[in-house]
Amino acid sequence: MDVKNAFLQGESEEVYMIQPPGVESRVHLNVVCRLKKPLYGLKQAPRAWHSKITQYLHQIGFRMSKSDTSLYIRHESDNPIVIILYVDDLVIGGKDLAEITKVKSLLSGRFEMKDLHELHYFLGIEVIRTPVGILISQRHYVLNLLYKFGLTECKPVSTPLDRNLKIDADSGTAVCDPTQYRQIIGSLIYLTITRPDLSYSVGLLSQFMQHPRNLHHDCAKRILRYVSATMDYGIVYKSNTTIRLEGYTDADWAGYKADRRSTSGFVFSLGSGAISWSSKKQPTVALSSTEA
């Protein structure tokens, strides 16, 4: 669902603005305008819209998740309905199509909305439905990424980084213009939304964004070459799998030689697909592998 003119829907606190050029009052030169509705470009507008939609969702039985303020859940009998809100876009999910249609009708009656029907593409993430289950990937995003950095015809590799390569802050010579390196790493960070296999390598290279070296830049391009060979990778959530929460974690010991800190990693899966993962350098130095 797409909300039309979302930021005009909110009700803001008292906000005043100077009169626009060309409409100044000739009688009262010091008169200002009091806004009745938030406007696009107004700093308070996003907050006012979020408050408005949250208030209405509460009225129709939804409750905001404590772990994610953009997630709303309604539990009625055995047919929970879930809504994900991103600015002016809403993703509605549930088991009962009739209940989903009812919620759409309630929302459309309160706000002017456009029904975009089944979810196929959202924030760069592709949602593909198969007889086995649902696949989420970022293949189209990867294609645009490779085109942007001129690597559409690059030679693919089978791993994100060379296992025997030691990377630190002083590896190689300094990059003359670090802009492209930062753009590559920033783009790859967004790609880790559906690619847990990139978390470690991207997290490692993101530590050198302030003063990147040529070796770091070459490693970033190697990750893009790996991505070009695995652009169809994603996460599959199978429909006939037992819903069981599983978690795995590991850590090296003093893996980063510059400061002797260890790197922790974890992944949690629900059913057949991963739902949460991370690779992060520890804040303190571990004195043993057990402590790491």
Side-chain angles (χ1 to χ4, degrees), residues 107-154:
L107 290 170
S108 299
R110 179 63 181 83
F111 306 102
E112 188 177 357
M113 293 186 172
K114 181 180 180 181
D115 190 352
L116 302 178
H117 304 289
E118 270 195 356
L119 179 65
H120 296 287
Y121 194 80
F122 185 67
L123 301 179
I125 301 173
E126 298 176 60
V127 181
I128 303 170
R129 292 171 175 81
T130 67
V132 177
I134 293 177
L135 166 68
I136 62 171
S137 70
Q138 291 172 277
R139 186 178 186 277
H140 186 68
Y141 177 79
V142 169
L143 290 172
N144 290 337
L145 201 60
L146 295 174
Y147 177 79
K148 177 180 179 181
F149 297 110
L151 294 172
T152 52
E153 302 295 331
C154 65

Side-chain angles (χ1 to χ4, degrees), residues 19 25 46 81 104 111 135 169 171 173 183 198 208 224 235 279 288:
Q19 298 183 54
S25 172
I81 303 293
K104 286 183 177 180
F111 306 102
L135 166 68
S171 300
T173 58
Q183 290 176 343
L198 299 177
F208 313 117
L224 288 176
I235 303 175
S279 176
S288 67

Side-chain angles (χ1 to χ4, degrees), residues 69-111:
T69 56
S70 63
L71 176 64
Y72 300 84
I73 306 172
R74 188 180 76 178
H75 290 283
E76 288 188 0
S77 64
D78 295 328
N79 297 316
I81 303 293
V82 176
I83 293 179
I84 298 174
L85 173 66
Y86 181 79
V87 191
D88 59 349
D89 293 319
L90 289 89
V91 179
I92 306 173
K95 297 190 296 182
D96 191 338
L97 184 59
E99 284 295 321
I100 294 176
T101 304
K102 182 179 178 181
V103 170
K104 286 183 177 180
S105 178
L106 289 171
L107 290 170
S108 299
R110 179 63 181 83
F111 306 102

Side-chain angles (χ1 to χ4, degrees), residues 158-209:
S158 58
T159 58
L161 293 177
D162 186 348
R163 289 183 59 186
N164 299 320
L165 184 64
K166 301 300 181 182
I167 305 175
D168 54 42
D170 299 323
S171 300
T173 58
V175 176
C176 296
D177 184 9
T179 302
Q180 187 185 68
Y181 178 82
R182 293 167 182 167
Q183 290 176 343
I184 293 175
I185 298 302
S187 301
L188 289 172
I189 289 174
Y190 188 71
L191 187 57
T192 59
I193 292 176
T194 59
R195 296 290 299 270
D197 55 324
L198 299 177
S199 293
Y200 172 76
S201 53
V202 174
L204 176 62
L205 294 182
S206 65
Q207 301 176 41
F208 313 117
M209 294 180 71

Side-chain angles (χ1 to χ4, degrees), residues 249-263:
T249 184
D250 197 6
D252 63 5
W253 181 33
Y256 188 54
K257 302 303 179 183
D259 55 13
R260 305 292 297 174
R261 293 186 185 180
S262 309
T263 301

